[in-house]
Amino acid sequence: DAGVIQSPRHEVTEMGQEVTLRCKPISGHDYLFWYRQTMMRGLELLIYFNNNVPIDDSGMPEDRFSAKMPNASFSTLKIQPSEPRDSAVYFCASSLWGPVLESEQFFGPGTRLTVL
Amino acid sequence: QKEVEQNSGPLSVPEGAIASLNCTYSDRVSQSFFWYRQYSGKSPELIMSIYSNGDKEDGRFTAQLNKASQYVSLLIRDSQPSDSATYLCAVQAGDTGRRALTFGSGTRLQVQP
């Protein structure tokens, strides 16, 4: 299996521009998670999906952020308009359905976003 | 108070020594605990999971859990320079069905050759 795939790996944009990050989870995984990592705040959950349905979006910082999962093999995280404070590494992770105690998450390589 | 607390380090140990990494959590009903290793510029990778009180061993790694004290630790025996990385403690909420992880800020480990 190729693992979790994210694109682009690096994104540099200017303040006010729209940014779209993409994720392909591991085939067969039922859960998909979006995390953001910064030096100041560490690794924090933004949103997660189960069977393509958003379950918890309490970590989404504000209305500028939106996430979709149109099918089991694809998800997007969009920031519009982007701001310099959005600069971070964005990780996508996926896991299999199972008893809660066994739901190990596998992370993608991340997208490093820089907003100038 | 942070939900998951770790000493940021760096923790420096000589090659061959035992590295001890510690983590405390605030949610008493947490059920699942994970240790992830993250090399600089890379994504987190799972190295250990533990769900029951006591010790769990996997090769050179031992995870220890004490739910009464809300404490989880990771021991790395015979530390190698390749173990130098940031170790993230993650806790899964005790709420039924909630799969999201809460991460600590990580402890940076340096193994000196």
Side-chain angles (χ1 to χ4, degrees):
Chain A
D1 199 314
V4 177
I5 299 172
Q6 291 187 248
S7 65
R9 295 293 305 276
H10 302 273
E11 177 81 28
V12 180
T13 190
E14 293 189 347
M15 184 173 63
Q17 296 299 305
E18 177 178 297
V19 175
T20 299
L21 312 181
R22 297 173 176 80
C23 175
K24 176 179 168 55
I26 294 172
S27 178
H29 280 193
D30 305 272
Y31 285 82
L32 183 140
F33 306 81
W34 282 101
Y35 291 92
R36 177 173 69 175
Q37 187 172 38
T38 62
M39 289 293 292
M40 289 296 294
R41 300 175 65 89
L43 191 59
E44 53 183 350
L45 176 74
L46 299 176
I47 185 171
Y48 78 95
F49 297 82
N50 175 215
N51 290 325
N52 315 336
V53 176
I55 302 300
D56 183 350
D57 65 354
S58 59
M60 296 286 263
E62 49 198 271
D63 292 346
R64 297 184 298 106
F65 286 68
S66 63
K68 293 182 180 179
M69 192 165 185
N71 56 63
S73 59
F74 183 66
S75 177
T76 60
L77 178 68
K78 187 175 293 186
I79 308 172
Q80 165 64 16
S82 58
E83 297 183 2
R85 61 192 166 121
D86 302 331
S87 298
V89 180
Y90 290 80
F91 288 105
C92 177
S94 69
S95 72
L96 267 174
W97 179 90
V100 172
L101 297 184
E102 299 175 11
S103 55
E104 298 176 7
Q105 295 182 21
F106 298 86
F107 281 74
T111 295
R112 182 173 296 275
L113 173 65
T114 302
V115 183
L116 303 174
Chain B
Q1 181 189 5
K2 279 189 173 181
E3 295 182 46
V4 181
E5 297 258 16
Q6 293 182 258
N7 188 321
S8 62
L11 173 66
S12 185
V13 299
E15 183 174 355
I18 296 175
S20 178
L21 306 165
N22 304 313
C23 172
T24 59
Y25 59 94
S26 60
D27 185 355
R28 283 200 153 273
V29 299
S30 297
Q31 295 186 23
S32 308
F33 307 87
F34 304 87
W35 283 99
Y36 282 81
R37 178 176 61 199
Q38 187 175 27
Y39 292 113
S40 180
K42 301 296 186 182
S43 58
E45 57 176 327
L46 182 69
I47 54 173
M48 288 287 287
S49 59
I50 187 166
Y51 314 113
S52 304
N53 279 329
D55 295 0
K56 179 181 177 182
E57 187 174 317
D58 184 0
R60 295 186 297 112
F61 299 97
T62 298
Q64 300 173 317
L65 175 62
N66 184 326
K67 290 187 177 181
S69 300
Q70 295 174 237
Y71 177 91
V72 57
S73 66
L74 179 70
L75 300 177
I76 306 174
R77 289 182 300 281
D78 188 23
S79 295
Q80 301 297 309
S82 58
D83 295 326
S84 298
T86 296
Y87 289 80
L88 301 169
C89 173
V91 175
Q92 195 159 50
D95 304 300
T96 301
R98 190 169 192 275
R99 302 300 177 109
L101 297 176
T102 300
F103 284 86
S105 56
T107 298
R108 189 157 62 94
L109 173 66
Q110 295 177 339
V111 181
Q112 307 295 335

